[in-house]
Amino acid sequence: MLPRFEYVKPDRLEEALSFLDMHSNESRIIAGGTDLLVKMREGKTRPLWVVDLSGIREFGGVELKSETISIGPLATIREVEESPLIRDKAPMLSAALKEFAFWQIKNMATLGGNLCNASPASDLATPLLALSSKLRFLSLRGERIIPIDDFFLGPGETAIRQDEILAEILIPTPKSKLWAFNKLGKRSAHVLSIVNVAAAMEISQDRCEDLHLALGSVAPKPVRAKGVENYLKNAALSDKQIWEASKKVVNDIDPISDLRASAEYRKEMSVKLTEKSIKDAMDRGKT
Amino acid sequence: METDPYKLLDKWLKTKKFNVIGRGMERTDALDKVLGRAKYVEDYFSDGMLFGSLVKSEQSHALIQHIDISGVEHLSDSCSVFTAEDIPGTNEVGYTIPDQPLLAAKKVRFHGEPIALVVAEDPDLAKEGTELVKIRYKPLKSVFDPLEAIDSKIRVHEEQGSNIVLKTHSSKGNIVEGFSKSDVLVKHTYRTHYQDHAYLETEGAVAFPASNGVRVIGSIQYPHLAQQITARVLGIGTDQVEVVQAVVGGAFGGKDDMGPLLCAQAALIAFKLGKPAMVTYSREDSMIAHCKRDPAVVEYKSGATRDGKLSAIEARIIFDSGAYANRGPFTLWRATMHASGPYEVPNARVEGYLVYTNKVFQGSFRGFGNPPVQFAVESQMDELAEKLGMDPLEFRLKNILRKGSRTLTNQLLEDSVGIGEALSKAKEKSNWKEKRTEYRKASGDKVKGIGVACGWHGISTSQGVPDWSNALIKIDREGKVAAYTGITEIGQGTHTGHVQVVSEVLGIPTDLIKIEGGTTAAPDTGATHASRGMSVGGIGLILAAEKLKQKMEKTAARLLACTSSQVRFGRGLVFSAKSPERSIRWNDLIEECYKEKIELSAEGYFGLPKGKFDGKKGQGFAYPTFSYIVNVAEVEVDLRTGMTKVLRIWPALASGKIINPVQVEGQVEGAIAQGLGYALMEEIALKDGVVLNPNFTDYLIPTTFDMPEIEKPIYVEDLFRYGPFGAKGVGEMSLIPTPSAISNAVYHATGSRIRELPATPEKLYWTIKSAAESRTKQRKEGTSP
Amino acid sequence: MKEGKVLVRFRLNGKPVETFTKPNDTLLNLLRRNLGITSVKRGCEVGECGACTVLLDGNPVVSCLILAPTVEGKEITTIEGISKEGELHPLQQAFIKAGAVQCGFCTPGMILTAKALLDKNPNPSLREIKEAIQGNLCRCTGYTKIIQAIQLASKEIKSSCISD
Ligand SMILES: Cc1cc2nc3c(=O)[nH]c(=O)nc-3n(C[C@H](O)[C@H](O)[C@H](O)COP(=O)(O)OP(=O)(O)OC[C@H]3O[C@@H](n4cnc5c(N)ncnc54)[C@H](O)[C@@H]3O)c2cc1C
Ligand code: FES
Ligand code: FES
């Protein structure tokens, strides 16, 4: 049973923006609904209005705008996963989406909803962090673009304002082809992460030129592992060096114990999956 | 004309060639199910019906001081609330002992215990109403740990002297002597946990007022039990309650316990308000409030001699019953009498304790008390073998029960003991020897292992508890056959097997036969549990069908111009053994019988013979027969994460005659999935008695990717003399050894042993890590083993 | 707040439907309670079991997480819509033949997901089958026979295409 609310479906962007402007406190946007309906059922949110954005055309789709990949907030996980553009230009995101939930949910859930839901365990925030994405918001007051690093504030908390809509996810096309995504859960598939790690890397002459490493489910919000990144910057990539760097990840994270795992296990797994992700990314250069 | 049931059963036991027995006949209910037409409880939804929604306790142990329902009354005029006070009959639904109310009256004993039902014309409104019932409690101290509960001053049931519900016992020989003769000893404690049935359909029932009482349609396993309990709660006669099973969306034992309770809840509303009423549990209600597999602690010691023979075992089994005894006395009894595993052991002492705690109550679940003890036994067998330097499978073969063996309770096994052969065949088929040596040598992040485990399971009810089979068959004038049995179809395919039984005996096509099962209109055939639905349930059908043939023999003989004893039934025809080319059609014979005023219905009844059991010593006749199972499991463990992937399982069954191999495979595969879940991932997370994961988000059951390849089962058809065609039970078997087969394989792969289920990646990771650390430490100190 | 009713119009198994729904009702409830399509099963109501699967414009979705008003203008397919002129769909036949049905509660959702798979990919690999149905939980079968049934149907569909 869902709590009572009214349903509105604006046809045009301006309509949606003015509705949100008037009812910002008491309304919730619905995209795929896979988070919102669960939360409403649990009584965690009780909006008076549920605002359906699916009538707004410009919010779907994936396209390349000069050197930037643009993803509409209503693009479903499935669409993005299967998009030839994403497979080609941002295969790490495709790989992460492959491990996300399962078919039915992928057909409904959106990238925008996933980000705005700000689950610390999100499987999408980490690749988007590692890919240095930016987010564009719209409100009656105008437009705002922020780096994704500034977006997540805590569990369920983001920098989005009550009257704003997430209007676009922008990913600069990655220069390097070295990447990895690793997810660990309690079961082989269809499971929420105990930890997930996304790595994007550039190597030159066996030295690490640049590393972007992000981890999920091991802190109140998805995090970049700056400690590891800095440690490896310009370093030679020996097994030992990678292992030493991976161990540094514990300073970048702040895991809790919950139903899915203990904080200690999350720490150990962050180290192991960091090591594995760096090596997996390097392996891509070899083939 | 043969009327002695023993001789009739024996005739079919000796039969070698069958028409439909042993065939993979398609299920009779599959068509409705693939069309989405099958009607489960909730599909009886209709306008004008009332809906009940559950108000559950928010306390683990507390006195109920006041229930305020004013909020519900404000919500809508049509809403009402039912509490213990509204029960017209007896508020008592305990299965074994009268300790459990339908709705808690003065006291709650576990978090989630049903206290009230909010009733409304709309299910959502009823649900909304549950949040408006305000209950004032006086909290009491709770006890959650079964070991603590044994001597705790906190009484879950204040009127009882102790939290120990029951002690069980079995002893044989002299264990002091046995252990002193042993060359190797192993002693450890094993822990297993709650397992949720996680049937995809939650509990439910719908009740309709009837002229003299109620008619209830429920998701049940035993219509006559639901009838009894409903009648008791309503304070009316059983003749005023009719119970029929709906199509059941999974049961696995859970609906044996929950079915009657839901029937009584729905009937209460319908009976009092005079309107059809439906009660269904939400998934959350179900996972919080419905009974589960009993958590257990098993302290186990065993010894063996250098020549590889078991010399003694000693076990202390503690079963956590939760807040109510329910089936606990029976699950514990079964665990106790199976505590040796399917092995010969001359000296044994086993003690069991069933203990109350302030947690959700225990209940029937596939395997019924057996999985926790077999986990202990099968872990010990591997550990003993290792100490002896023997192959664990060979060690088992040396001790396995065979024809003429005596069990733990000193019961003589005269026949039907095929497990030794099953074990040898599983060894060959799985390529055991090669894999055992090959995998040992592997290194790297991912390691493989192969393990074996056996299991046994007594068929039918325990010791002297009466067990019987009963069925009624009617033939109508068109030759259509209706067979009435109380056995329910709960997804396991038994009714399809029953059709095969009747078809074989009457010699007519299966499509002429319809099973009217799971209804109080049928004779009481006992519950569909204890793997007895096909085996025990089938006996009555054979006997009834035989009686019908006898009723028709004279007429047939006259038409065929032969003697009665020469009449044969087969292929839809009736013919003479003397000249088989002369035959009459089944329909013509029926028509003739109708003309001759021969009444064509017959009941088949059989009381299973049982032996004596000495309760003091825990020795004697435990079960009419046992089914046996072997599982060989192959796993791969990722040492970095502790994640186990089960790659392949080789099952081998010694369950007597296989009536329908396709259905049996389905049972084997499904039970392995449940055993795998129990072994690796399923876990009810409890904090102070509160279920923290009442959903499939965090109570994980296996998905397609968690399942191994399951080989076609090996069948050793070790016929059971009283089973229909020699069939024993199959449904529960494969679950029993699955956890230990996996855990033994994990040990083979990693050298680390899990003694507390489930072996989640995290748990296995720490176990492997601490084993590695202690090895390093030993090496440093120069005390390497 | 008083709740209103919302008019929704969509196609259900090829036929147009026009009905009122509570704004806060799910598609699952709309189908089961208002339209009597009880083949769509309630298993968990939080998107985790797949029993309530329907096809929305040909794609499998879980109807328990879809707000009823949002299906305006869409095409919904349930198990009632997949057998043509009384003839079983090859998947339905294969499920019966392979023994893939036990309690049957997961069956309609499972078959619908499998249908969406075969419509897109008539020749799926074992891995693709497992991936497609990983969100449809089955507690009875251990999936073995379900996978076999999908493979069988895939063969069946291919051979009937060739003979066409
Ligand atoms: C069974 C199941 C399995 C799952 N598995 C995974 C998994 O493996 N990995 C994972 O990361 N997640 C998983 N999830 C979580 C969920 O599917 C995702 O978070 C999903 O991407 C959310 O998208 P949505 O479109 O459904 O969001 P909605 O539920 O529609 O919205 C989520 C939140 O975002 C807000 N919102 C949505 N769009 C906008 C917008 N454009 N502007 C502003 N606010 C907006 C909504 O108001 C709401 O608060 C799972 C969920 C379920 C039910
Ligand atoms: S009921 Fe919708 S997924 Fe379980
Ligand atoms: S057949 Fe019972 S859940 Fe799949």
Side-chain angles (χ1 to χ4, degrees):
Chain A
M1 181 203 65
L2 297 170
R4 293 158 206 239
F5 55 77
E6 288 297 338
Y7 170 80
V8 277
K9 183 177 174 186
D11 292 328
R12 287 175 308 115
L13 180 57
E14 302 74 59
E15 248 179 83
L17 293 177
S18 27
F19 189 91
L20 287 175
D21 191 59
M22 276 177 42
H23 300 281
S24 63
N25 285 330
E26 62 245 14
S27 50
R28 292 308 290 263
I29 289 171
I30 186 166
T34 62
D35 278 322
L36 187 64
L37 262 70
V38 174
K39 285 208 167 140
M40 290 198 296
R41 189 177 294 285
E42 289 169 349
K44 286 187 186 151
T45 174
R46 291 177 184 268
L48 296 184
W49 301 95
V50 168
V51 185
D52 182 355
L53 296 185
S54 63
I56 300 166
R57 281 225 181 79
E58 52 267 51
F59 278 179
V62 180
E63 58 183 313
L64 192 65
K65 295 179 177 165
S66 62
E67 278 308 283
T68 302
I69 302 166
S70 155
I71 303 177
L74 292 187
T76 63
I77 304 290
R78 189 78 182 171
E79 268 175 73
V80 182
E81 180 188 349
E82 292 186 343
S83 148
L85 177 66
I86 299 292
R87 279 194 186 164
D88 181 36
K89 304 274 185 203
M92 182 215 283
L93 186 57
S94 273
L97 297 181
K98 200 167 168 59
E99 307 232 349
F100 175 100
F102 51 88
W103 197 8
Q104 286 92 324
I105 300 292
K106 287 182 191 193
N107 283 330
M108 302 159 68
T110 65
L111 251 65
N114 188 281
L115 295 179
C116 294
N117 189 53
S119 159
S122 161
D123 290 322
L124 307 187
T126 34
L128 291 175
L129 273 166
L131 294 171
S132 304
S133 315
K134 292 198 168 80
L135 306 176
R136 187 164 72 88
F137 304 101
L138 287 175
S139 71
L140 272 195
R141 290 173 292 127
E143 178 189 276
R144 205 156 68 94
I145 296 185
I146 63 166
I148 192 168
D149 303 68
D150 299 338
F151 179 65
F152 299 110
L153 303 178
E157 280 176 50
T158 66
I160 195 167
R161 295 173 189 146
Q162 296 267 12
D163 60 341
E164 279 181 332
I165 293 179
L166 169 61
E168 197 175 11
I169 298 156
L170 301 158
I171 309 173
T173 17
K175 274 178 281 171
S176 162
K177 298 248 178 295
L178 306 185
W179 59 272
F181 180 81
N182 279 297
K183 169 174 173 174
L184 174 70
K186 261 176 128 170
R187 155 172 88 183
S188 306
H190 169 182
V191 72
L192 296 177
S193 289
I194 290 174
V195 50
N196 63 54
V197 180
M201 224 176 156
E202 279 174 62
I203 298 182
S204 137
Q205 287 160 356
D206 289 338
R207 286 184 174 272
C208 170
E209 287 242 302
D210 199 14
L211 170 66
H212 286 201
L213 190 75
L215 287 92
S217 209
V218 285
K221 55 182 187 170
V223 290
R224 275 279 287 275
K226 295 274 188 194
V228 183
E229 294 178 3
N230 292 337
Y231 185 90
L232 274 187
K233 184 124 192 153
N234 298 320
L237 289 166
S238 67
D239 281 0
K240 183 155 184 298
Q241 192 75 306
I242 294 169
W243 177 240
E244 288 304 321
S246 302
K247 286 197 284 188
K248 297 266 177 297
V249 79
V250 293
N251 303 323
D252 294 316
I253 60 176
D254 182 15
I256 55 162
S257 295
D258 62 12
L259 287 177
R260 288 160 207 151
S262 71
E264 292 70 37
Y265 183 62
R266 285 197 157 97
K267 277 190 187 155
E268 299 246 342
M269 291 305 108
S270 297
V271 174
K272 298 261 163 105
L273 288 198
T274 296
E275 184 195 24
K276 181 173 189 312
S277 300
I278 294 171
K279 290 187 168 171
D280 286 355
M282 286 165 60
D283 283 347
R284 261 175 227 287
K286 290 177 192 151
T287 49
Chain B
M1 195 166 33
E2 189 53 74
T3 53
D4 177 1
Y6 291 94
K7 292 205 173 129
L8 286 170
L9 290 176
D10 196 52
K11 177 185 93 184
W12 284 110
L13 192 69
K14 299 218 165 88
T15 305
K16 292 263 155 14
K17 272 185 71 186
F18 296 103
N19 291 316
V20 283
I21 295 301
R23 295 260 180 91
M25 178 189 159
E26 286 170 8
R27 292 177 67 110
T28 52
D29 54 356
L31 181 65
D32 276 348
K33 287 176 175 174
V34 299
L35 286 170
R37 282 196 313 219
K39 247 180 138 173
Y40 301 81
V41 164
E42 209 171 349
D43 304 338
Y44 288 86
F45 180 101
S46 78
D47 285 339
M49 211 172 238
L50 297 171
F51 299 89
S53 191
L54 199 62
V55 179
K56 306 185 292 295
S57 168
E58 300 134 302
Q59 294 281 333
S60 291
H61 197 191
L63 299 176
I64 299 173
Q65 293 190 312
H66 182 67
I67 303 177
D68 176 8
I69 59 168
S70 56
V72 182
E73 286 163 347
H74 288 136
L75 182 65
S76 157
D77 294 342
S78 71
C79 290
S80 52
V81 180
F82 280 71
T83 64
E85 286 181 8
D86 302 296
I87 291 176
T90 314
N91 185 16
E92 174 24 61
V93 295
Y95 180 76
T96 335
I97 55 174
D99 64 349
Q100 183 176 355
L102 183 69
L103 298 171
K106 298 195 189 86
K107 184 173 161 177
V108 287
R109 297 185 176 84
F110 73 95
H111 184 274
E113 180 163 7
I115 297 178
L117 288 162
V118 173
V119 179
E121 285 166 355
D122 175 288
D124 289 345
L125 206 60
K127 179 85 194 149
E128 203 173 334
T130 60
E131 289 166 20
L132 303 173
V133 176
K134 299 290 169 223
I135 299 167
R136 200 167 71 231
Y137 302 93
K138 179 167 185 276
L140 303 169
K141 278 198 181 134
S142 305
V143 57
F144 300 119
D145 182 280
L147 296 179
E148 264 170 43
I150 290 182
D151 342 277
S152 170
K153 296 228 159 51
I154 301 163
R155 293 270 180 281
V156 179
H157 289 265
E158 58 292 344
E159 71 286 357
Q160 296 186 21
S162 131
N163 290 323
I164 299 176
V165 191
L166 177 79
K167 287 187 194 170
T168 53
H169 174 81
S170 176
S171 81
K172 176 183 183 184
N174 181 333
I175 56 163
V176 179
E177 233 167 69
F179 283 125
S180 70
K181 274 202 310 209
S182 302
D183 297 307
V184 293
L185 289 178
V186 176
K187 188 179 172 198
H188 286 294
T189 300
Y190 304 85
R191 288 189 166 79
T192 60
H193 52 301
Y194 278 118
Q195 185 180 22
D196 194 282
H197 302 84
Y199 19 60
L200 277 203
E201 180 209 32
T202 58
E203 298 78 3
V206 53
F208 301 87
S211 54
N212 71 335
V214 283
R215 178 164 192 273
V216 192
I217 300 175
S219 195
I220 53 172
Q221 288 182 236
Y222 187 9
H224 297 82
L225 179 65
Q227 177 188 48
Q228 252 177 42
I229 288 182
T230 302
R232 191 193 306 155
V233 166
L234 299 186
I236 57 180
T238 45
D239 58 326
Q240 291 167 278
V241 179
E242 187 197 342
V243 179
V244 185
Q245 76 159 129
V247 177
V248 175
F252 317 118
K255 288 177 182 168
D256 207 6
D257 295 313
M258 297 309 295
L261 308 190
L262 273 283
C263 286
Q265 288 172 353
L268 175 63
I269 302 169
F271 186 70
K272 297 264 287 200
L273 299 180
K275 280 189 182 173
M278 178 182 282
V279 178
T280 52
Y281 281 6
S282 67
R283 179 59 57 185
E284 191 183 1
D285 288 342
S286 172
M287 295 193 84
I288 291 175
H290 103 259
C291 59
K292 313 204 186 309
R293 183 187 303 289
D294 3 35
V297 181
V298 183
E299 298 161 4
Y300 206 108
K301 178 178 167 187
S302 54
T305 49
R306 208 165 299 129
D307 59 351
K309 291 294 268 183
L310 267 175
S311 43
I313 61 159
E314 183 179 14
R316 186 164 172 261
I317 305 167
I318 294 104
F319 266 32
D320 183 348
S321 196
Y324 296 103
N326 195 30
R327 309 268 167 155
F330 292 99
T331 54
L332 178 68
W333 199 88
R334 187 173 273 272
T336 309
M337 305 313 157
H338 283 80
S340 59
Y343 305 106
E344 281 185 340
V345 56
N347 307 294
R349 187 164 76 211
V350 186
E351 279 171 10
Y353 298 83
L354 180 69
V355 188
Y356 285 131
T357 58
N358 291 110
K359 301 200 299 271
V360 60
F361 60 112
Q362 77 75 242
S364 317
F365 195 155
R366 204 177 208 166
F368 204 74
N370 212 350
V373 287
Q374 298 307 314
F375 176 58
V377 172
E378 291 300 309
S379 301
Q380 295 250 316
M381 291 301 281
D382 262 38
E383 295 186 72
L384 284 173
E386 190 178 17
K387 283 201 166 177
L388 288 167
M390 281 183 75
D391 177 277
L393 199 151
E394 298 298 337
F395 176 58
R396 283 176 172 81
L397 275 174
K398 276 195 178 252
N399 293 283
I400 205 83
L401 292 173
R402 299 186 186 271
K403 194 171 157 181
S405 294
R406 289 192 175 265
T407 66
L408 167 65
T409 67
N410 216 29
Q411 179 175 344
L412 177 67
L413 299 175
E414 291 173 57
D415 55 7
S416 190
V417 198
I419 184 164
E421 191 183 336
L423 191 52
S424 301
K425 286 189 166 157
K427 178 175 114 184
E428 295 311 314
K429 192 171 176 194
S430 64
N431 222 348
W432 171 266
K433 276 243 147 66
E434 288 71 18
K435 288 186 172 150
R436 258 329 257 197
T437 23
E438 183 194 326
Y439 292 164
R440 260 289 147 79
K441 298 181 211 141
S443 63
D445 286 330
K446 290 190 173 176
V447 289
K448 280 189 185 176
I450 187 165
V452 66
C454 300
W456 63 328
H457 200 68
I459 301 301
S460 155
T461 50
S462 55
Q463 42 177 323
V465 177
D467 196 7
W468 68 91
S469 184
N470 205 351
L472 171 71
I473 304 185
K474 295 182 186 172
I475 306 175
D476 75 7
R477 194 155 182 173
E478 287 173 11
K480 298 250 164 65
V481 176
Y484 291 79
T485 170
I487 296 296
T488 47
E489 175 57 62
I490 48 179
Q492 83 285 42
T494 297
H495 285 174
T496 306
H498 286 167
V499 167
Q500 289 174 269
V501 169
V502 176
S503 156
E504 188 70 47
V505 177
L506 293 181
I508 56 170
T510 51
D511 57 11
L512 287 181
I513 301 156
K514 187 155 188 271
I515 302 294
E516 302 284 352
T519 155
T520 46
D524 186 342
T525 322
T528 307
H529 66 198
S531 291
R532 65 187 288 291
M534 188 62 242
S535 59
V536 180
I539 306 173
L541 290 169
I542 294 193
L543 298 178
E546 283 288 353
K547 270 195 199 164
L548 279 168
K549 287 201 303 194
Q550 284 159 13
K551 282 189 168 186
M552 299 185 286
E553 266 172 8
K554 251 198 191 145
T555 314
R558 184 173 55 74
L559 296 174
L560 293 165
C562 64
T563 66
S564 288
S565 61
Q566 289 168 335
V567 173
R568 296 288 181 274
F569 292 75
R571 304 181 309 277
L573 300 173
V574 186
F575 53 92
S576 147
K578 200 175 57 180
S579 38
E581 67 291 345
R582 290 197 52 190
S583 65
I584 43 173
R585 294 189 322 157
W586 168 258
N587 287 34
D588 296 338
L589 174 62
I590 301 298
E591 182 58 32
E592 199 60 28
C593 289
Y594 266 83
K595 279 190 194 144
E596 289 188 1
K597 295 190 206 130
I598 297 172
E599 190 260 342
L600 287 183
S601 75
E603 207 165 327
Y605 180 90
F606 185 73
L608 264 111
K610 295 206 160 189
K612 286 211 173 61
F613 192 82
D614 174 353
K616 263 213 191 103
K617 292 201 184 113
Q619 294 284 286
F621 176 95
Y623 295 94
T625 190
F626 296 85
S627 264
Y628 304 91
I629 172 92
V630 176
N631 274 352
V632 172
E634 185 178 50
V635 304
E636 182 179 76
V637 179
D638 187 334
L639 296 172
R640 285 168 303 202
T641 59
M643 176 70 100
T644 302
K645 180 116 191 70
V646 184
L647 302 175
R648 195 175 288 271
I649 293 204
W650 291 264
L653 266 178
S655 294
K657 185 77 195 162
I658 300 299
I659 306 264
N660 183 325
V662 176
Q663 296 314 315
V664 170
E665 281 165 26
Q667 288 302 299
V668 168
E669 291 154 2
I672 286 176
Q674 284 177 349
L676 182 147
Y678 183 51
L680 296 179
M681 63 186 80
E682 294 182 33
E683 187 170 27
I684 289 284
L686 281 164
K687 188 161 189 287
D688 298 335
V690 181
V691 176
L692 301 177
N693 55 345
N695 50 57
F696 290 150
T697 314
D698 283 302
Y699 186 86
L700 301 178
I701 64 171
T703 69
T704 45
F705 280 114
D706 301 292
M707 287 306 293
E709 287 289 316
I710 300 174
E711 291 284 328
K712 280 240 184 281
I714 294 161
Y715 300 126
V716 176
E717 294 195 322
D718 52 349
L719 306 184
F720 164 45
R721 63 175 80 166
Y722 303 132
F725 313 97
K728 303 193 273 186
V730 168
E732 304 178 79
M733 297 311 297
S734 296
L735 191 146
I736 297 167
T738 297
S740 26
I742 292 173
S743 122
N744 287 340
V746 166
Y747 180 79
H748 183 231
T750 64
S752 292
R753 185 165 288 285
I754 290 287
R755 297 196 179 88
E756 183 174 346
L757 297 178
T760 57
E762 170 158 10
K763 204 183 282 169
L764 185 56
Y765 177 79
W766 294 126
T767 313
I768 293 171
K769 189 168 177 181
S770 71
E773 279 168 1
S774 72
R775 272 198 298 273
T776 328
K777 209 172 132 209
Q778 278 173 357
R779 222 174 292 135
K780 275 191 189 141
E781 290 167 0
T783 57
S784 81
Chain C
M1 190 175 73
K2 215 178 86 50
E3 65 186 337
K5 289 258 175 188
V6 186
L7 176 71
V8 292
R9 288 155 302 183
F10 57 99
R11 291 178 76 80
L12 176 61
N13 297 324
K15 296 200 190 83
V17 172
E18 209 178 295
T19 181
F20 282 96
T21 168
K22 289 193 279 191
N24 61 338
D25 229 344
T26 57
L27 176 61
L28 171 67
N29 283 344
L30 180 76
L31 290 171
R32 288 187 56 88
R33 295 179 185 168
N34 300 19
L35 302 171
I37 305 284
T38 54
S39 63
V40 184
K41 297 295 178 212
R42 172 187 70 86
C44 71
E45 295 180 277
V46 291
E48 289 281 358
C49 75
C52 67
T53 298
V54 300
L55 303 185
L56 190 144
D57 296 336
N59 295 310
V61 292
V62 284
S63 61
C64 66
L65 290 187
I66 291 186
L67 274 191
T70 64
V71 300
E72 173 76 25
K74 312 258 183 194
E75 167 85 46
I76 305 281
T77 310
T78 65
I79 197 92
E80 287 80 358
I82 77 162
S83 39
K84 276 188 220 124
E85 291 141 26
E87 181 143 338
L88 294 183
H89 187 277
L91 272 161
Q92 291 172 310
Q93 288 170 8
F95 267 60
I96 297 177
K97 226 179 184 172
V101 180
Q102 287 192 27
C103 84
F105 206 75
C106 68
T107 308
M110 197 69 88
I111 291 181
L112 286 166
T113 309
K115 176 180 185 295
L117 170 69
L118 296 186
D119 286 349
K120 287 188 179 30
N121 177 3
N123 196 11
S125 66
L126 176 63
R127 200 187 157 78
E128 285 166 335
I129 294 175
K130 286 188 175 181
E131 201 169 299
I133 60 166
Q134 65 168 311
N136 290 82
L137 297 180
C138 173
R139 189 58 159 168
C140 301
T141 64
Y143 308 102
T144 313
K145 298 213 174 327
I146 290 176
I147 293 169
Q148 286 164 0
I150 297 171
Q151 289 169 329
L152 186 66
S154 149
K155 273 198 208 120
E156 204 50 47
I157 290 170
K158 264 183 298 176
S159 64
S160 75
C161 285
I162 296 163
S163 63
D164 271 357

